[in-house]
Amino acid sequence: MSRAPCPPCAYDLIETTWIPLPDGRRLAARMWLPQVDGPVPAILEYLPYRKGDGTAPRDETTHTVFATEGYAGIRVDIAGTGDSEGVFDDEYSEQELSDGEAVLAWIAAQDWCDGNIGMIGISWGGFNGLQLAFRRPEALKAVVSVASTTDRYADDIHYMGGCLLSDNANWASQMFAYQSRPADPENRPDWRADWIKRMEDMPFMAAEWLRHQTRDGQWKHGSVCEDWAAIQAPVLAITGWADAYVNAPPRLAANLKVPAKALVGPWEHRYAHIAKLDPADFHGEVLAWFDKWLKGDETGVESLPDYRTYMQEHFNPTMQNKPRQGRWIAEEEWPSPNVRDRVMYLGAGALEEDPTAGRQLVSNPAILGQASGYFCAGMRYDNELPGDQSGDDVLSSCFDTPPLAAPLELLGRPRLRVSFSVDRPVAQLVARLCDVAPTGVSQRITFRPLNLTHCNSHEKPEYLVPGQVYEAEIELNECAHHLRAGHQLRLALSTSYWPIVWPAPEAAEVTLHLEGCALVLPERQVAQEIDPQNPAAARNYPSLQSEELRAPGGRSETKLRADGTLVLDTFDDYGKAVDPYHGMTVGSHVSMHYAIHPDDPASAVFASDWTFTFARGDWQVEIDTENKMTCDTENFYLWRRVTAREGADGAEVLVKEWRETIARDFL
């Protein structure tokens, strides 16, 4: 890949402009317009996270660079968020996507745009970039999708393997806080009435998502895997191994009918140039992709290997950020002829080369998962990565290889085939693959849960008949890992994985019938490596020169109550700062609480409390949002409250509570 840099050009920053929609609503946009003769291509980022303050620090590191390279940068607030008019209704809704099509058409019609538009985004923006490409708007010519998904049921924060993720409640609590924030009074004279309406009418997303516990139309909408051929814009898909969203890039590279390339580094849930884990030249990758597909420059991106990735090795993991160990590799084609299935069989505590027989019981206390880390690393301040798994391994049913006589390299999605019976109508099985060093330190390579009631279908699950023998397959999450000689590969199985996975209603025993159990490994063997063409080191980039009034920080504490309940309390302070462009002071922090008793899965509790403060001159507001989710064996119980205050005396503007009870449906 080669790219001749453009002579840097100056640009005009337009803090707020208004994009009219066909029904009369207006969306607020921030724009970076190059000072050049004639129209230019545009790069759109379309989010609900507030252009004025929410993503402003990150935008300074990206759109300013793109503008100096001759692209118009447009950062648009989704309807009912930030300064945009209208009502927010749900993530990736029909309204959001149809509005997005109108935004693309508006940009293409401006005299400063040459009609060629690319979309970029991480997480939400990565999702809707793919989803809009799926709808084939004429002006959308290329996409860079970071940390996204192709299947909203299988690979998002709601469900995994038919199991409920605790992040369904956690992420909803974060969106509750985000959606409670007011528009900027300098842009919206009606900000106060709009603010109250936003809080009064905001959807109870944790409850709405929990009403859809199987793979129904709620999740098929926006899942681009429903029709791979629908996407006609070339896609560069990026993520990192510390991120939760690892499956989409190789799936896109394998299935799209248009140019699609996968790039997976060591990073967490951040753009690669601002990652805490081995930052890299994100700008170069993005610009080379868009230069080819928006400008027609010969950058060579179409000839990149299908799959470029960082092949990790054991690095004595901790929950704190620390450097990775590994090397970059590439596969010219994906799927690759260099990756072949290697089958190992589950024996008595061992992974065997030949089939075995017998029974193995899998059952553990509900506290297993203490070393699991935060589901989506990169969202908290720190203390969020999976640590040494050996403590969780002790509570699991483990199957180990002998110390490896030669290195073993994995690239792809391992598959676990199991024959099993249960003693309860609802049960889970969680599989983890670990790299165990000679010192005993166990590093998680990949994992995946399966709700065993979903063993035949995620659309039509069935209660299990105790004692009956079933078969299932767990396709673990994507991985790239090199096990050194002398290390052991461990398969650890458990019936729970708290706090990432919300537990089944009762403690269950899963009996494995070993004659029907096998682990299929995607073993990579390469005679001659090709040039990985990996990203260079992160380049220098501008940063937002805010005045910091309170530094960010965080902490995490695990403790046992007298009755044996395990408690995890975290606190993340995102700091307080003054924006240099519009002078608004913004501060925020969040506390989260997880608790569970080892003998009672139905004792699980999640709670969070977000606080946002905003001020400029005499104007100031504060918003507190509280959330709690509990359960019993029959139902989930959700509660939330918003308290909004205004002025120096903190006068209450609104206090409102919501409660929902939702039946467990095969969960």
Side-chain angles (χ1 to χ4, degrees):
M1 181 180 65
S2 62
R3 177 183 180 273
C6 299
C9 58
Y11 61 88
D12 295 318
L13 173 61
I14 301 172
E15 275 291 311
T16 302
T17 195
W18 298 97
I19 299 176
L21 298 176
D23 63 3
R25 289 173 297 133
R26 299 180 306 162
L27 301 186
R30 195 174 188 221
M31 301 198 303
W32 296 256
L33 300 182
Q35 296 176 357
V36 295
D37 294 330
V40 297
I43 298 175
L44 168 65
E45 197 165 9
Y46 180 47
L47 296 170
Y49 302 144
R50 298 172 62 91
K51 65 176 180 58
D53 51 76
T55 63
R58 188 179 75 199
D59 296 342
E60 191 79 2
T61 74
T62 54
H63 289 289
T64 55
V65 175
F66 302 151
T68 63
E69 295 279 349
Y71 289 93
I74 300 93
R75 169 62 185 85
V76 178
D77 287 339
I78 288 170
T81 74
D83 293 330
S84 287
E85 297 174 349
V87 176
F88 176 84
D89 56 356
D90 196 4
E91 57 180 14
Y92 325 121
S93 67
E94 177 59 31
Q95 171 184 272
E96 175 185 329
L97 298 179
S98 60
D99 287 353
E101 291 180 286
V103 168
L104 288 163
W106 180 87
I107 294 170
Q110 303 309 298
D111 57 10
W112 42 260
C113 181
D114 66 5
N116 296 302
I117 305 172
M119 286 192 70
I120 188 172
I122 179 171
S123 202
W124 198 301
F127 279 51
N128 65 27
L130 292 176
Q131 292 163 0
L132 280 164
F134 188 89
R135 298 163 77 102
R136 301 188 188 182
E138 181 180 356
L140 182 56
K141 303 297 173 57
V143 172
V144 175
S145 181
V146 184
S148 62
T149 188
T150 61
D151 188 326
R152 294 184 56 214
Y153 184 75
D155 279 313
D156 195 7
I157 54 88
H158 308 291
Y159 300 92
M160 183 183 288
C163 296
L164 175 67
L165 298 173
S166 65
D167 245 47
N168 186 78
N170 181 15
W171 177 243
S173 74
Q174 188 166 343
M175 283 302 296
F176 180 40
Y178 281 8
Q179 295 311 105
S180 300
R181 299 174 292 182
D184 187 339
E186 290 193 350
N187 295 324
R188 292 285 300 275
D190 64 339
W191 73 272
R192 195 174 189 279
D194 179 73
W195 180 37
I196 293 171
K197 181 174 175 55
R198 284 186 184 185
M199 292 186 289
E200 288 275 11
D201 297 343
M202 73 177 75
F204 197 166
M205 284 181 280
E208 291 299 323
W209 299 333
L210 195 49
R211 289 191 178 93
H212 299 272
Q213 297 175 21
T214 59
R215 193 176 188 277
D216 61 12
Q218 165 81 10
W219 309 116
K220 292 178 183 179
H221 168 79
S223 291
V224 300
C225 63
E226 293 293 301
D227 181 7
W228 297 107
I231 294 179
Q232 295 295 302
V235 175
L236 173 61
I238 304 174
T239 194
W241 292 122
D243 203 311
Y245 295 96
V246 296
N247 296 322
R251 287 198 82 195
L252 289 161
N255 289 288
L256 290 190
K257 311 305 180 186
V258 292
K261 305 295 180 181
L263 174 64
V264 184
W267 315 300
E268 73 278 26
H269 195 73
R270 292 185 177 93
Y271 283 151
H273 66 292
I274 54 175
K276 295 181 180 180
L277 303 176
D278 300 335
D281 183 17
F282 178 70
H283 301 93
E285 296 291 329
V286 172
L287 288 166
W289 193 255
F290 285 147
D291 284 355
K292 167 63 180 178
W293 305 114
L294 303 186
K295 292 182 177 180
D297 295 348
E298 295 304 317
T299 62
V301 294
E302 71 277 16
S303 300
L304 285 170
D306 280 356
Y307 192 3
R308 295 175 292 155
T309 188
Y310 187 78
M311 178 67 68
Q312 297 192 111
E313 296 184 23
H314 199 289
F315 49 76
N316 290 328
T318 68
M319 297 188 78
Q320 291 73 44
N321 296 305
K322 62 180 287 187
R324 314 285 91 174
Q325 290 189 29
R327 74 189 196 283
W328 282 90
I329 59 108
E331 292 293 344
E332 195 67 50
E333 305 171 53
W334 192 254
S336 170
N338 297 323
V339 179
R340 298 182 180 179
D341 288 348
R342 176 177 175 180
V343 182
M344 306 191 80
Y345 300 92
L346 278 60
L351 290 171
E352 309 278 6
E353 296 295 338
D354 298 307
T356 63
R359 302 289 182 269
Q360 174 69 53
L361 183 67
V362 182
S363 183
N364 56 266
I367 59 173
L368 188 149
Q370 294 183 57
S372 61
Y374 192 63
F375 174 70
C376 192
M379 303 290 285
R380 293 189 53 217
Y381 178 75
D382 205 343
N383 305 301
E384 57 179 350
L385 300 173
D388 180 0
Q389 303 289 296
S390 56
D392 284 337
D393 292 352
V394 168
L395 301 177
S396 305
S397 297
C398 292
F399 304 83
D400 295 355
T401 65
L404 297 172
L408 172 64
E409 199 154 277
L410 306 177
L411 180 63
R413 299 189 68 171
R415 306 190 312 277
L416 175 65
R417 299 170 184 160
V418 291
S419 176
F420 69 94
S421 56
V422 297
D423 68 341
R424 294 288 187 273
V426 177
Q428 301 172 348
L429 187 64
V430 183
R432 288 179 293 122
L433 276 190
C434 299
D435 177 347
V436 183
T439 60
V441 175
S442 178
Q443 178 174 322
R444 195 181 75 193
I445 299 171
T446 182
F447 79 102
R448 189 87 179 179
L450 176 63
N451 180 343
L452 295 176
T453 69
H454 287 233
C455 63
N456 293 319
S457 171
H458 289 310
E459 296 182 16
K460 296 179 179 180
E462 298 176 310
Y463 287 112
L464 303 165
V465 178
Q468 182 173 322
V469 178
Y470 297 87
E471 293 183 348
E473 181 173 286
I474 302 175
E475 186 178 33
L476 281 72
N477 295 317
E478 192 80 22
C479 68
H481 194 88
H482 178 95
L483 291 96
R484 306 182 193 114
H487 286 226
Q488 293 174 276
L489 178 67
R490 170 173 292 163
L491 171 65
L493 299 180
S494 59
T495 52
S496 64
Y497 200 43
W498 176 261
I500 286 181
V501 178
W502 198 274
E506 299 176 284
E509 293 183 351
V510 176
T511 300
L512 299 179
H513 300 256
L514 296 180
E515 62 274 13
C517 299
L519 176 64
V520 184
L521 299 171
E523 183 177 15
R524 180 178 186 262
Q525 294 184 336
V526 181
Q528 182 70 40
E529 296 279 10
I530 64 173
D531 180 1
Q533 301 190 54
N534 53 287
R539 64 177 66 183
N540 291 328
Y541 54 82
S543 59
L544 190 66
Q545 299 303 303
S546 301
E547 178 188 356
E548 186 176 83
L549 303 181
R550 188 180 75 236
R555 61 180 182 270
S556 181
E557 179 185 11
T558 301
K559 58 188 177 185
L560 278 175
R561 292 178 181 157
D563 68 351
T565 297
L566 179 74
V567 176
L568 170 63
D569 286 317
T570 68
F571 179 78
D572 291 283
D573 188 345
Y574 297 104
K576 188 175 186 179
V578 183
D579 186 279
Y581 291 108
H582 52 66
M584 186 184 291
T585 299
V586 181
S588 65
H589 57 78
V590 57
S591 61
M592 289 183 282
H593 171 83
Y594 300 87
I596 197 166
H597 191 280
D599 301 327
D600 183 9
S603 66
V605 176
F606 166 75
S608 70
D609 185 350
W610 280 83
T611 298
F612 273 95
T613 60
F614 297 88
R616 184 196 290 118
D618 294 333
W619 176 78
Q620 51 187 301
V621 298
E622 177 178 319
I623 310 106
D624 289 307
T625 54
E626 304 163 82
N627 307 262
K628 189 172 185 179
M629 177 173 169
T630 59
C631 67
D632 57 26
T633 58
E634 301 294 330
N635 297 298
F636 298 106
Y637 303 97
L638 295 92
W639 170 86
R640 69 179 187 175
R641 176 170 60 201
V642 61
T643 304
R645 301 179 179 88
E646 182 183 14
D649 59 351
E652 286 187 353
V653 174
L654 176 72
V655 179
K656 184 174 180 178
E657 295 187 14
W658 294 256
R659 294 181 186 273
E660 291 276 1
T661 298
I662 297 175
R664 303 180 79 131
D665 184 11
F666 301 96
L667 287 178

